[in-house]
C-alpha cells in the first residue's frame, strides 16, 4: 500500500537520471528538485498504482531527462512497504521510457518524552587559571603582517 507522506524520488530515462523530493497526500502529488517542479494525481489499488505527473522547469540549468522542459507523464507501478517503483512515458516524448523509484522518508519525531539528566553547574570546580597542562599562547598576528 502506498501511504501518504514524503518520498525521495530517483528517476531515470535513457537521456539521464536525477533525484527529487515528492509529497503524496490523499491522491495528490507535489514535489521538486533543483530545476523542476512536479504535480499531479495518483490512485492506489492494493499494491498497484497509477499516476499522471506534470513536470515544469522552474530554474535554468541541467536538461530534462525527457528532453522537453514541460511534460505530462502517465505512470503505473507497484508498491511494497516503504518502496514504490513505477514506469511510463510522457505525451511530449513518447519514445522516452521513464522509470522512478520512490523511497518513503520517515518523519523525524520530536523526542517529547526524552529523559535528560539535569546537571547542576558548580563554578567552584572550574579551573581558576593556567596550570601545568596549559601553556600561554601568543595572540594571532593581524592579517597581512609577517611574524618572526
Amino acid at each position: 500500500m502506498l501511504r501518504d507522506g514524503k518520498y525521495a524520488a530517483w528517476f531515470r530515462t535513457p537521456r539521464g537520471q536525477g533525484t527529487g523530493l515528492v509529497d503524496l497526500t490523499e491522491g495528490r502529488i507535489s514535489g521538486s528538485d533543483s530545476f523542476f517542479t512536479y504535480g499531479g494525481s495518483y490512485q492506489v489499488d492494493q499494491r498497484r498504482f497509477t499516476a499522471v505527473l506534470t513536470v515544469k522547469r522552474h530554474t535554468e540549468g541541467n536538461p530534462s531527462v525527457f528532453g522537453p522542459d514541460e511534460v505530462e507523464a502517465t505512470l503505473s507501478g507497484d508498491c511494497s512497504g516503504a518502496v514504490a517503483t513505477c514506469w511510463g512515458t510522457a505525451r511530449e516524448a513518447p519514445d522516452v521510457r521513464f522509470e522512478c523509484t520512490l523511497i518513503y522518508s520517515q518523519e523525524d519525531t520530536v523526542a517529547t518524552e526524552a529523559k535528560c539528566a539535569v546537571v547542576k553547574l558548580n563554578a567552584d570546580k572550574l579551573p581558576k587559571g593556567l596550570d601545568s597542562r596549559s601553556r600561554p599562547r601568543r595572540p594571532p598576528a593581524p592579517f597581512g603582517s609577517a611574524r618572526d
Side-chain angles (χ1 to χ4, degrees):
M1 181 75 177
L2 196 61
R3 58 183 157 180
D4 286 0
K6 295 184 185 311
Y7 288 80
W10 174 38
F11 45 88
R12 348 176 250 283
T13 73
R15 296 177 185 222
Q17 62 180 332
T19 59
L21 298 174
V22 177
D23 189 32
L24 303 178
T25 305
E26 297 179 0
R28 303 295 308 160
I29 303 170
S30 62
S32 65
D33 62 29
S34 298
F35 305 103
F36 296 89
T37 57
Y38 325 122
S41 61
Y42 68 95
Q43 293 180 330
V44 179
D45 180 21
Q46 302 294 339
R47 295 181 62 168
R48 298 277 305 153
F49 71 95
T50 57
V52 176
L53 182 67
T54 302
V55 179
K56 293 182 181 181
R57 180 178 289 280
H58 66 75
T59 302
E60 288 302 315
N62 291 347
S64 164
V65 296
F66 290 104
D69 282 348
E70 291 191 20
V71 297
E72 183 177 283
T74 303
L75 309 169
S76 62
D78 298 310
C79 46
S80 60
V83 177
T85 55
C86 58
W87 49 93
T89 58
R91 181 176 46 184
E92 296 78 4
D95 59 323
V96 179
R97 181 169 166 84
F98 177 77
E99 297 177 9
C100 183
T101 302
L102 300 174
I103 303 166
Y104 184 74
S105 300
Q106 181 68 32
E107 291 287 328
D108 291 336
T109 56
V110 179
T112 56
E113 298 180 19
K115 305 285 186 210
C116 297
V118 177
V119 178
K120 195 171 190 178
L121 175 65
N122 185 347
D124 294 333
K125 292 186 177 182
L126 294 174
K128 301 294 186 236
L130 299 177
D131 62 15
S132 62
R133 296 173 291 172
S134 304
R135 63 170 198 232
R137 300 193 189 275
R138 294 191 333 188
F143 181 73
S145 65
R147 186 168 252 183
D148 298 354

PDB file of all heavy atoms in Angstrom, residues 109-137:
ATOM      1  N   THR A 109      10.641  12.280  14.443  1.00  0.00           N
ATOM      2  CA  THR A 109       9.729  12.563  15.537  1.00  0.00           C
ATOM      3  C   THR A 109      10.470  13.337  16.619  1.00  0.00           C
ATOM      4  O   THR A 109      11.622  13.068  16.923  1.00  0.00           O
ATOM      5  CB  THR A 109       9.160  11.260  16.141  1.00  0.00           C
ATOM      6  OG1 THR A 109      10.247  10.441  16.551  1.00  0.00           O
ATOM      7  CG2 THR A 109       8.315  10.525  15.121  1.00  0.00           C
ATOM      8  N   VAL A 110       9.801  14.300  17.169  1.00  0.00           N
ATOM      9  CA  VAL A 110      10.381  15.097  18.234  1.00  0.00           C
ATOM     10  C   VAL A 110      10.349  14.281  19.514  1.00  0.00           C
ATOM     11  O   VAL A 110       9.325  13.692  19.867  1.00  0.00           O
ATOM     12  CB  VAL A 110       9.597  16.413  18.417  1.00  0.00           C
ATOM     13  CG1 VAL A 110      10.186  17.241  19.551  1.00  0.00           C
ATOM     14  CG2 VAL A 110       9.575  17.190  17.125  1.00  0.00           C
ATOM     15  N   ALA A 111      11.449  14.233  20.192  1.00  0.00           N
ATOM     16  CA  ALA A 111      11.553  13.446  21.424  1.00  0.00           C
ATOM     17  C   ALA A 111      10.900  14.229  22.555  1.00  0.00           C
ATOM     18  O   ALA A 111      11.560  14.891  23.340  1.00  0.00           O
ATOM     19  CB  ALA A 111      13.001  13.140  21.727  1.00  0.00           C
ATOM     20  N   THR A 112       9.589  14.144  22.635  1.00  0.00           N
ATOM     21  CA  THR A 112       8.873  14.892  23.670  1.00  0.00           C
ATOM     22  C   THR A 112       8.982  14.222  25.026  1.00  0.00           C
ATOM     23  O   THR A 112       8.861  14.877  26.041  1.00  0.00           O
ATOM     24  CB  THR A 112       7.387  15.042  23.302  1.00  0.00           C
ATOM     25  OG1 THR A 112       6.843  13.749  23.100  1.00  0.00           O
ATOM     26  CG2 THR A 112       7.221  15.880  22.059  1.00  0.00           C
ATOM     27  N   GLU A 113       9.197  12.917  25.027  1.00  0.00           N
ATOM     28  CA  GLU A 113       9.269  12.199  26.288  1.00  0.00           C
ATOM     29  C   GLU A 113      10.697  11.830  26.661  1.00  0.00           C
ATOM     30  O   GLU A 113      10.909  10.982  27.519  1.00  0.00           O
ATOM     31  CB  GLU A 113       8.417  10.934  26.207  1.00  0.00           C
ATOM     32  CG  GLU A 113       6.949  11.220  25.984  1.00  0.00           C
ATOM     33  CD  GLU A 113       6.138   9.954  25.901  1.00  0.00           C
ATOM     34  OE1 GLU A 113       6.612   8.901  26.354  1.00  0.00           O
ATOM     35  OE2 GLU A 113       5.014  10.018  25.389  1.00  0.00           O
ATOM     36  N   ALA A 114      11.656  12.459  26.016  1.00  0.00           N
ATOM     37  CA  ALA A 114      13.053  12.115  26.288  1.00  0.00           C
ATOM     38  C   ALA A 114      13.413  12.510  27.713  1.00  0.00           C
ATOM     39  O   ALA A 114      13.045  13.571  28.197  1.00  0.00           O
ATOM     40  CB  ALA A 114      13.968  12.839  25.311  1.00  0.00           C
ATOM     41  N   LYS A 115      14.095  11.628  28.364  1.00  0.00           N
ATOM     42  CA  LYS A 115      14.549  11.887  29.730  1.00  0.00           C
ATOM     43  C   LYS A 115      15.975  12.402  29.658  1.00  0.00           C
ATOM     44  O   LYS A 115      16.867  11.721  29.162  1.00  0.00           O
ATOM     45  CB  LYS A 115      14.523  10.605  30.562  1.00  0.00           C
ATOM     46  CG  LYS A 115      13.190   9.917  30.578  1.00  0.00           C
ATOM     47  CD  LYS A 115      12.218  10.646  31.457  1.00  0.00           C
ATOM     48  CE  LYS A 115      10.940   9.848  31.556  1.00  0.00           C
ATOM     49  NZ  LYS A 115       9.778  10.600  31.751  1.00  0.00           N
ATOM     50  N   CYS A 116      16.182  13.608  30.120  1.00  0.00           N
ATOM     51  CA  CYS A 116      17.507  14.211  30.102  1.00  0.00           C
ATOM     52  C   CYS A 116      17.954  14.450  31.533  1.00  0.00           C
ATOM     53  O   CYS A 116      17.178  14.914  32.366  1.00  0.00           O
ATOM     54  CB  CYS A 116      17.494  15.547  29.357  1.00  0.00           C
ATOM     55  SG  CYS A 116      17.061  15.378  27.632  1.00  0.00           S
ATOM     56  N   ALA A 117      19.196  14.145  31.773  1.00  0.00           N
ATOM     57  CA  ALA A 117      19.752  14.395  33.098  1.00  0.00           C
ATOM     58  C   ALA A 117      20.028  15.889  33.232  1.00  0.00           C
ATOM     59  O   ALA A 117      20.546  16.526  32.320  1.00  0.00           O
ATOM     60  CB  ALA A 117      21.042  13.613  33.279  1.00  0.00           C
ATOM     61  N   VAL A 118      19.656  16.439  34.351  1.00  0.00           N
ATOM     62  CA  VAL A 118      19.932  17.845  34.632  1.00  0.00           C
ATOM     63  C   VAL A 118      21.183  17.890  35.480  1.00  0.00           C
ATOM     64  O   VAL A 118      21.253  17.310  36.555  1.00  0.00           O
ATOM     65  CB  VAL A 118      18.748  18.504  35.375  1.00  0.00           C
ATOM     66  CG1 VAL A 118      19.082  19.946  35.728  1.00  0.00           C
ATOM     67  CG2 VAL A 118      17.485  18.405  34.539  1.00  0.00           C
ATOM     68  N   VAL A 119      22.200  18.563  34.944  1.00  0.00           N
ATOM     69  CA  VAL A 119      23.460  18.679  35.656  1.00  0.00           C
ATOM     70  C   VAL A 119      23.563  20.086  36.201  1.00  0.00           C
ATOM     71  O   VAL A 119      23.432  21.063  35.473  1.00  0.00           O
ATOM     72  CB  VAL A 119      24.656  18.390  34.701  1.00  0.00           C
ATOM     73  CG1 VAL A 119      25.965  18.567  35.432  1.00  0.00           C
ATOM     74  CG2 VAL A 119      24.526  17.005  34.111  1.00  0.00           C
ATOM     75  N   LYS A 120      23.801  20.168  37.510  1.00  0.00           N
ATOM     76  CA  LYS A 120      23.917  21.460  38.152  1.00  0.00           C
ATOM     77  C   LYS A 120      25.359  21.931  38.036  1.00  0.00           C
ATOM     78  O   LYS A 120      26.291  21.180  38.333  1.00  0.00           O
ATOM     79  CB  LYS A 120      23.510  21.340  39.623  1.00  0.00           C
ATOM     80  CG  LYS A 120      23.262  22.625  40.293  1.00  0.00           C
ATOM     81  CD  LYS A 120      22.652  22.387  41.663  1.00  0.00           C
ATOM     82  CE  LYS A 120      22.173  23.688  42.246  1.00  0.00           C
ATOM     83  NZ  LYS A 120      21.546  23.482  43.531  1.00  0.00           N
ATOM     84  N   LEU A 121      25.543  23.141  37.550  1.00  0.00           N
ATOM     85  CA  LEU A 121      26.880  23.696  37.370  1.00  0.00           C
ATOM     86  C   LEU A 121      27.408  24.203  38.711  1.00  0.00           C
ATOM     87  O   LEU A 121      26.733  24.951  39.416  1.00  0.00           O
ATOM     88  CB  LEU A 121      26.853  24.853  36.364  1.00  0.00           C
ATOM     89  CG  LEU A 121      28.168  25.590  36.188  1.00  0.00           C
ATOM     90  CD1 LEU A 121      29.226  24.672  35.578  1.00  0.00           C
ATOM     91  CD2 LEU A 121      27.998  26.817  35.344  1.00  0.00           C
ATOM     92  N   ASN A 122      28.606  23.770  39.044  1.00  0.00           N
ATOM     93  CA  ASN A 122      29.282  24.265  40.233  1.00  0.00           C
ATOM     94  C   ASN A 122      30.522  25.006  39.750  1.00  0.00           C
ATOM     95  O   ASN A 122      31.542  24.395  39.421  1.00  0.00           O
ATOM     96  CB  ASN A 122      29.651  23.111  41.163  1.00  0.00           C
ATOM     97  CG  ASN A 122      30.255  23.593  42.462  1.00  0.00           C
ATOM     98  OD1 ASN A 122      30.626  24.766  42.593  1.00  0.00           O
ATOM     99  ND2 ASN A 122      30.361  22.700  43.435  1.00  0.00           N
ATOM    100  N   ALA A 123      30.425  26.335  39.686  1.00  0.00           N
ATOM    101  CA  ALA A 123      31.511  27.163  39.162  1.00  0.00           C
ATOM    102  C   ALA A 123      32.778  27.045  40.007  1.00  0.00           C
ATOM    103  O   ALA A 123      33.877  27.306  39.516  1.00  0.00           O
ATOM    104  CB  ALA A 123      31.074  28.615  39.088  1.00  0.00           C
ATOM    105  N   ASP A 124      32.656  26.640  41.262  1.00  0.00           N
ATOM    106  CA  ASP A 124      33.839  26.492  42.114  1.00  0.00           C
ATOM    107  C   ASP A 124      34.746  25.361  41.629  1.00  0.00           C
ATOM    108  O   ASP A 124      35.922  25.317  41.962  1.00  0.00           O
ATOM    109  CB  ASP A 124      33.421  26.213  43.566  1.00  0.00           C
ATOM    110  CG  ASP A 124      32.706  27.418  44.179  1.00  0.00           C
ATOM    111  OD1 ASP A 124      32.977  28.559  43.726  1.00  0.00           O
ATOM    112  OD2 ASP A 124      31.888  27.201  45.082  1.00  0.00           O
ATOM    113  N   LYS A 125      34.232  24.441  40.844  1.00  0.00           N
ATOM    114  CA  LYS A 125      35.030  23.318  40.366  1.00  0.00           C
ATOM    115  C   LYS A 125      35.731  23.613  39.041  1.00  0.00           C
ATOM    116  O   LYS A 125      36.503  22.795  38.556  1.00  0.00           O
ATOM    117  CB  LYS A 125      34.159  22.080  40.211  1.00  0.00           C
ATOM    118  CG  LYS A 125      33.664  21.550  41.538  1.00  0.00           C
ATOM    119  CD  LYS A 125      32.933  20.262  41.361  1.00  0.00           C
ATOM    120  CE  LYS A 125      32.504  19.715  42.716  1.00  0.00           C
ATOM    121  NZ  LYS A 125      31.824  18.435  42.585  1.00  0.00           N
ATOM    122  N   LEU A 126      35.465  24.768  38.432  1.00  0.00           N
ATOM    123  CA  LEU A 126      36.127  25.143  37.175  1.00  0.00           C
ATOM    124  C   LEU A 126      37.543  25.612  37.461  1.00  0.00           C
ATOM    125  O   LEU A 126      37.827  26.171  38.531  1.00  0.00           O
ATOM    126  CB  LEU A 126      35.343  26.253  36.474  1.00  0.00           C
ATOM    127  CG  LEU A 126      33.959  25.865  35.963  1.00  0.00           C
ATOM    128  CD1 LEU A 126      33.238  27.086  35.425  1.00  0.00           C
ATOM    129  CD2 LEU A 126      34.059  24.790  34.904  1.00  0.00           C
ATOM    130  N   PRO A 127      38.483  25.414  36.510  1.00  0.00           N
ATOM    131  CA  PRO A 127      39.853  25.878  36.728  1.00  0.00           C
ATOM    132  C   PRO A 127      39.898  27.396  36.902  1.00  0.00           C
ATOM    133  O   PRO A 127      39.151  28.120  36.271  1.00  0.00           O
ATOM    134  CB  PRO A 127      40.594  25.453  35.461  1.00  0.00           C
ATOM    135  CG  PRO A 127      39.635  24.703  34.628  1.00  0.00           C
ATOM    136  CD  PRO A 127      38.299  24.771  35.251  1.00  0.00           C
ATOM    137  N   LYS A 128      40.805  27.849  37.759  1.00  0.00           N
ATOM    138  CA  LYS A 128      40.913  29.274  38.068  1.00  0.00           C
ATOM    139  C   LYS A 128      41.933  29.982  37.182  1.00  0.00           C
ATOM    140  O   LYS A 128      41.917  31.170  37.049  1.00  0.00           O
ATOM    141  CB  LYS A 128      41.320  29.475  39.536  1.00  0.00           C
ATOM    142  CG  LYS A 128      40.364  28.863  40.512  1.00  0.00           C
ATOM    143  CD  LYS A 128      39.022  29.545  40.468  1.00  0.00           C
ATOM    144  CE  LYS A 128      38.114  29.014  41.544  1.00  0.00           C
ATOM    145  NZ  LYS A 128      36.873  28.496  41.092  1.00  0.00           N
ATOM    146  N   GLY A 129      42.812  29.273  36.603  1.00  0.00           N
ATOM    147  CA  GLY A 129      43.844  29.904  35.776  1.00  0.00           C
ATOM    148  C   GLY A 129      44.635  28.830  35.071  1.00  0.00           C
ATOM    149  O   GLY A 129      44.214  27.681  34.954  1.00  0.00           O
ATOM    150  N   LEU A 130      45.816  29.201  34.593  1.00  0.00           N
ATOM    151  CA  LEU A 130      46.667  28.239  33.906  1.00  0.00           C
ATOM    152  C   LEU A 130      47.243  27.259  34.906  1.00  0.00           C
ATOM    153  O   LEU A 130      47.560  27.616  36.037  1.00  0.00           O
ATOM    154  CB  LEU A 130      47.797  28.968  33.192  1.00  0.00           C
ATOM    155  CG  LEU A 130      47.363  29.966  32.106  1.00  0.00           C
ATOM    156  CD1 LEU A 130      48.579  30.660  31.527  1.00  0.00           C
ATOM    157  CD2 LEU A 130      46.588  29.268  31.023  1.00  0.00           C
ATOM    158  N   ASP A 131      47.351  26.005  34.484  1.00  0.00           N
ATOM    159  CA  ASP A 131      48.010  25.026  35.336  1.00  0.00           C
ATOM    160  C   ASP A 131      49.106  24.356  34.522  1.00  0.00           C
ATOM    161  O   ASP A 131      49.442  24.786  33.421  1.00  0.00           O
ATOM    162  CB  ASP A 131      47.004  24.016  35.895  1.00  0.00           C
ATOM    163  CG  ASP A 131      46.307  23.194  34.823  1.00  0.00           C
ATOM    164  OD1 ASP A 131      46.794  23.186  33.672  1.00  0.00           O
ATOM    165  OD2 ASP A 131      45.297  22.554  35.142  1.00  0.00           O
ATOM    166  N   SER A 132      49.657  23.269  35.002  1.00  0.00           N
ATOM    167  CA  SER A 132      50.788  22.610  34.347  1.00  0.00           C
ATOM    168  C   SER A 132      50.395  22.023  32.985  1.00  0.00           C
ATOM    169  O   SER A 132      51.255  21.774  32.158  1.00  0.00           O
ATOM    170  CB  SER A 132      51.357  21.517  35.238  1.00  0.00           C
ATOM    171  OG  SER A 132      50.366  20.527  35.461  1.00  0.00           O
ATOM    172  N   ARG A 133      49.100  21.824  32.739  1.00  0.00           N
ATOM    173  CA  ARG A 133      48.667  21.275  31.445  1.00  0.00           C
ATOM    174  C   ARG A 133      48.454  22.368  30.412  1.00  0.00           C
ATOM    175  O   ARG A 133      48.247  22.092  29.249  1.00  0.00           O
ATOM    176  CB  ARG A 133      47.369  20.501  31.616  1.00  0.00           C
ATOM    177  CG  ARG A 133      47.541  19.275  32.512  1.00  0.00           C
ATOM    178  CD  ARG A 133      46.221  18.645  32.793  1.00  0.00           C
ATOM    179  NE  ARG A 133      45.473  19.586  33.656  1.00  0.00           N
ATOM    180  CZ  ARG A 133      44.211  19.452  33.986  1.00  0.00           C
ATOM    181  NH1 ARG A 133      43.516  18.441  33.546  1.00  0.00           N
ATOM    182  NH2 ARG A 133      43.623  20.323  34.766  1.00  0.00           N
ATOM    183  N   SER A 134      48.464  23.610  30.832  1.00  0.00           N
ATOM    184  CA  SER A 134      48.208  24.723  29.922  1.00  0.00           C
ATOM    185  C   SER A 134      49.491  25.472  29.649  1.00  0.00           C
ATOM    186  O   SER A 134      50.400  25.517  30.478  1.00  0.00           O
ATOM    187  CB  SER A 134      47.212  25.696  30.536  1.00  0.00           C
ATOM    188  OG  SER A 134      46.039  25.040  30.889  1.00  0.00           O
ATOM    189  N   ARG A 135      49.573  26.076  28.515  1.00  0.00           N
ATOM    190  CA  ARG A 135      50.699  26.952  28.220  1.00  0.00           C
ATOM    191  C   ARG A 135      50.142  28.208  27.577  1.00  0.00           C
ATOM    192  O   ARG A 135      49.161  28.162  26.822  1.00  0.00           O
ATOM    193  CB  ARG A 135      51.719  26.269  27.327  1.00  0.00           C
ATOM    194  CG  ARG A 135      51.206  25.909  25.983  1.00  0.00           C
ATOM    195  CD  ARG A 135      52.334  25.447  25.073  1.00  0.00           C
ATOM    196  NE  ARG A 135      51.808  25.542  23.729  1.00  0.00           N
ATOM    197  CZ  ARG A 135      51.827  24.587  22.842  1.00  0.00           C
ATOM    198  NH1 ARG A 135      52.403  23.462  23.113  1.00  0.00           N
ATOM    199  NH2 ARG A 135      51.295  24.763  21.663  1.00  0.00           N
ATOM    200  N   PRO A 136      50.740  29.307  27.838  1.00  0.00           N
ATOM    201  CA  PRO A 136      50.249  30.549  27.239  1.00  0.00           C
ATOM    202  C   PRO A 136      50.475  30.518  25.723  1.00  0.00           C
ATOM    203  O   PRO A 136      51.464  29.985  25.241  1.00  0.00           O
ATOM    204  CB  PRO A 136      51.058  31.643  27.919  1.00  0.00           C
ATOM    205  CG  PRO A 136      52.189  30.959  28.606  1.00  0.00           C
ATOM    206  CD  PRO A 136      51.853  29.523  28.735  1.00  0.00           C
ATOM    207  N   ARG A 137      49.576  31.065  25.005  1.00  0.00           N
ATOM    208  CA  ARG A 137      49.692  31.129  23.547  1.00  0.00           C
ATOM    209  C   ARG A 137      49.824  32.582  23.122  1.00  0.00           C
ATOM    210  O   ARG A 137      49.216  33.455  23.712  1.00  0.00           O
ATOM    211  CB  ARG A 137      48.467  30.510  22.892  1.00  0.00           C
ATOM    212  CG  ARG A 137      48.271  29.060  23.275  1.00  0.00           C
ATOM    213  CD  ARG A 137      47.251  28.434  22.353  1.00  0.00           C
ATOM    214  NE  ARG A 137      46.867  27.116  22.777  1.00  0.00           N
ATOM    215  CZ  ARG A 137      47.530  25.998  22.468  1.00  0.00           C
ATOM    216  NH1 ARG A 137      48.592  26.052  21.740  1.00  0.00           N
ATOM    217  NH2 ARG A 137      47.108  24.836  22.901  1.00  0.00           N
TER     218      ARG A 137
END
